[in-house]
Amino acid sequence: MPSHDFRAPRLFVDGPLAQDARVPLDRDQSNYLGNVLRLAAGAEVLAFNGRDGEWQAAIEGRKRPDGLVILQPTRPQDRLADLTYVFAPLKHARLDYMVQKAIEMGAASLQPVLTRFTQASRVNTERMRANVVEAAEQCGILSIATVAEPVPLERFLGQRAAGRLLIFCDEAAEVENPVQSLNGAREAGQGIDVLIGPEGGFAEEERALLLRQPKILRLALGPRIMRADTAAVAALALVQAVLGDWGGKAA
């Protein structure tokens, strides 16, 4: 992966990126560049849109930043591993944290599922998408993960592709070496779904339904019970290290 300039501000924009293209800024972006970062016309930033790679760009505008002129490419577009993070929603700040960390860990999509013991039944997916963009901007990520609308767990299981590997992180599973367990699933092939349940755990009927799924790997995350946001980081780190793109290969 080419080296990333962490000193330059990065901005996600919605328009196409090409040399000499001009991209308008919305009010929040203008305020961020002009009032928060104190940047004026001519200052340079890095721009990306999740499709066309990363580009060096210069700010335009007289009284305040109102657009970017695209100068030259800095990094080509990449592709995230086919990894979906499936989770029972949490409340507010802890959900924000979990979304940000899932993006940093390389999740390509986020799927909230509603279970019997889910703590938060209402999910602000627009806020989740804003957290996805913010994490990508701050961490040099080029691809923007998708955020799906929440669905009941049973519906999610009924509509997912049968060829995908389902990694079911279960606090009731026997504790074994998770790396060895994941190594045994190397030939899974058609994408990975990593499932973390609510802090109240899965109901027995939910666990039974999960264990009937094809291509399922039931995984314990060690001898301690973790909070759901901590479990997200632990599970995704394990999956990326063994099956994902940490070794240079996509899942």
Side-chain angles (χ1 to χ4, degrees):
M1 178 178 175
S3 60
H4 171 60
D5 182 4
F6 284 98
R7 293 170 296 179
R10 293 183 81 241
L11 201 65
F12 172 78
V13 296
D14 208 17
L17 298 176
Q19 192 165 359
D20 298 326
R22 282 175 162 74
V23 178
L25 298 174
D26 63 31
R27 180 177 298 179
D28 290 340
Q29 292 171 325
S30 176
N31 178 68
Y32 173 67
L33 294 177
N35 297 327
V36 178
L37 298 184
R38 302 290 184 181
L39 298 178
E44 294 185 354
V45 299
L46 298 173
F48 70 107
N49 62 5
R51 305 182 300 275
D52 301 323
E54 181 183 77
W55 292 72
Q56 188 177 24
I59 296 173
E60 292 187 315
R62 293 185 177 181
K63 294 184 178 180
R64 61 180 179 84
D66 57 23
L68 300 176
V69 57
I70 307 304
L71 303 177
Q72 61 185 0
T74 55
R75 288 191 291 160
Q77 185 63 41
D78 61 9
R79 180 177 65 87
L80 293 170
D82 188 2
L83 175 62
T84 297
Y85 181 58
V86 186
F87 60 95
L90 304 173
K91 294 182 180 179
H92 305 305
R94 292 185 53 227
L95 178 60
D96 292 345
Y97 172 89
M98 188 183 67
V99 168
Q100 292 163 6
K101 299 311 164 189
I103 298 310
E104 292 176 36
M105 299 301 292
S109 58
L110 304 178
Q111 174 63 70
V113 292
L114 304 177
T115 69
R116 176 185 288 190
F117 301 126
T118 295
Q119 293 179 340
S121 58
R122 299 181 64 183
V123 183
N124 186 338
T125 51
E126 285 306 309
R127 181 175 175 134
M128 286 178 58
R129 292 185 182 99
N131 275 295
V132 167
V133 169
E134 182 179 352
E137 287 177 335
Q138 292 180 352
C139 297
I141 297 169
L142 296 179
S143 297
I144 299 297
T146 60
V147 176
E149 293 297 321
V151 295
L153 175 64
E154 184 175 0
R155 185 188 306 172
F156 165 74
L157 294 174
Q159 66 190 20
R160 64 184 295 273
R164 296 178 65 83
L165 173 64
L166 176 60
I167 298 177
F168 166 32
C169 298
D170 185 5
E171 72 278 1
E174 183 177 349
V175 176
E176 298 177 346
N177 187 323
V179 174
Q180 291 181 0
S181 298
L182 289 165
N183 269 321
R186 279 189 177 276
E187 303 304 320
Q190 301 178 30
I192 300 173
D193 298 329
V194 178
L195 171 64
I196 299 284
E199 295 207 330
F202 289 100
E204 284 307 312
E205 63 269 22
E206 293 171 336
R207 181 173 285 107
L209 177 61
L210 284 162
L211 294 177
R212 291 196 298 269
Q213 299 303 304
K215 290 196 176 181
I216 185 167
L217 174 61
R218 188 183 186 193
L219 196 68
L221 297 176
R224 289 165 294 279
I225 299 297
M226 300 178 185
R227 295 176 67 155
D229 46 351
T230 307
V233 177
L236 291 170
L238 284 167
V239 171
Q240 288 287 45
V242 180
L243 302 177
D245 59 12
W246 283 15
K249 296 181 180 179

